[in-house]
Amino acid sequence: MRSSLSGQGNPLHMRENITLTAVFFIALFLFTTVATARDLPDGFVYVDTVITDIVVDLRYGTQNNFVGRPIDGYLSPRCILTKQAANALKKVQLDLKAFGLGLKVFDAYRPQRAVDHFVRWAKDLSDTKMKAIYYPNVDKKDLFKKKYIAHKSSHSRGSTVDLTLVDICSQGKPKELDMGSGFDFFGPVSWPSDLSVGAASRAHRMLLQRLMMGHGFMPYTQEWWHFTLKDEPHPHTYFDFPVQ
């Protein structure tokens, strides 16, 4: 005769299973929490957790950039900034949203290893795969001299962002506004002060710059898309954790 305390109907056996299951899920929760906490250094955030409707197009994780291939350190299309920069950017997005406009981010935090990749690429004068698109009027040997490539970038400090404006009321996906040049185009036409672009493009650049400056960002004189938080929390630290 089978004992009344054996098999699946055994209350002790069932309690053991429940206890083991509970321990498993608690351990899994703790592991996931620790792993998530280790994803980013203290003070950094994924921007889409702060600005849920922001458009992200991280070019350096794709082939659509001036190098023509994914850049070291970009392992997933996640936009990362310091909390301060992300919160300031959220205010810009809110101002734009009232007029059916929004922000599209091309790059934010950039690992130092990505900057090192740019430097290695710039020194290889034989690699001009993307020249016709991104630097048609610049000799590659002059990229350092003209400051298009440098050994350090403010992006690696975590409070610099490259971005543009989009029309969120357009049919389909948000449509980029005409800014007079493409993102990362090497040339004077990309300077915010350039007057050779059309009036509509100059107005779009002015709108972006005024809003960004109004919420604590500083523009860069040679790139209409580039802004750094004035009171950045890490003005002298260059981080190298991957974008993932």
Side-chain angles (χ1 to χ4, degrees), residues 147-220:
K147 299 182 180 180
Y148 292 118
I149 300 293
H151 290 80
K152 294 289 184 181
S153 170
S154 61
H155 281 276
S156 301
R157 303 196 298 260
S159 297
T160 293
V161 61
D162 293 338
L163 74 179
T164 191
L165 299 174
V166 292
D167 178 1
I168 60 177
C169 293
S170 62
Q171 292 184 349
K173 64 181 181 180
K175 182 180 179 180
E176 290 182 30
L177 300 192
D178 184 358
M179 304 300 270
S181 80
F183 164 65
D184 258 358
F185 185 84
F186 297 174
V189 71
S190 293
W191 299 359
S193 61
D194 184 75
L195 300 180
S196 70
V197 301
S201 297
R202 297 198 301 272
H204 297 158
R205 291 180 179 190
M206 182 180 70
L207 174 61
L208 178 61
Q209 187 174 107
R210 289 293 178 87
L211 286 175
M212 293 294 286
M213 292 178 68
H215 291 294
F217 289 91
M218 299 182 298
Y220 177 47

Side-chain angles (χ1 to χ4, degrees), residues 82-210:
T82 60
K83 290 179 181 178
Q84 294 89 333
N87 287 329
L89 203 62
K90 182 177 182 178
K91 296 175 183 177
V92 178
Q93 179 81 336
L94 289 173
D95 285 349
L96 287 166
K97 192 172 183 180
F99 296 92
L101 300 173
L103 296 171
K104 181 177 185 176
V105 177
F106 297 121
D107 195 32
Y109 160 72
R110 181 185 305 166
Q112 180 60 44
R113 71 191 72 180
V115 180
D116 296 340
H117 189 166
F118 292 159
V119 170
R120 290 194 307 274
W121 166 83
K123 290 179 178 180
D124 180 4
L125 301 184
S126 66
D127 184 354
T128 56
K129 175 182 177 181
M130 306 300 285
K131 179 176 173 60
I133 299 173
Y134 287 95
Y135 54 106
N137 305 312
V138 182
D139 195 315
K140 192 174 181 183
K141 67 179 176 60
D142 295 329
L143 292 180
F144 288 104
K145 181 172 67 176
K146 294 188 175 182
K147 299 182 180 180
Y148 292 118
I149 300 293
H151 290 80
K152 294 289 184 181
S153 170
S154 61
H155 281 276
S156 301
R157 303 196 298 260
S159 297
T160 293
V161 61
D162 293 338
L163 74 179
T164 191
L165 299 174
V166 292
D167 178 1
I168 60 177
C169 293
S170 62
Q171 292 184 349
K173 64 181 181 180
K175 182 180 179 180
E176 290 182 30
L177 300 192
D178 184 358
M179 304 300 270
S181 80
F183 164 65
D184 258 358
F185 185 84
F186 297 174
V189 71
S190 293
W191 299 359
S193 61
D194 184 75
L195 300 180
S196 70
V197 301
S201 297
R202 297 198 301 272
H204 297 158
R205 291 180 179 190
M206 182 180 70
L207 174 61
L208 178 61
Q209 187 174 107
R210 289 293 178 87

Side-chain angles (χ1 to χ4, degrees), residues 224-241:
W224 58 258
W225 55 81
H226 178 111
F227 296 88
T228 299
L229 190 68
K230 182 178 180 180
D231 297 322
E232 58 179 317
H234 307 291
H236 307 295
T237 304
Y238 295 84
F239 294 88
D240 192 36
F241 60 91

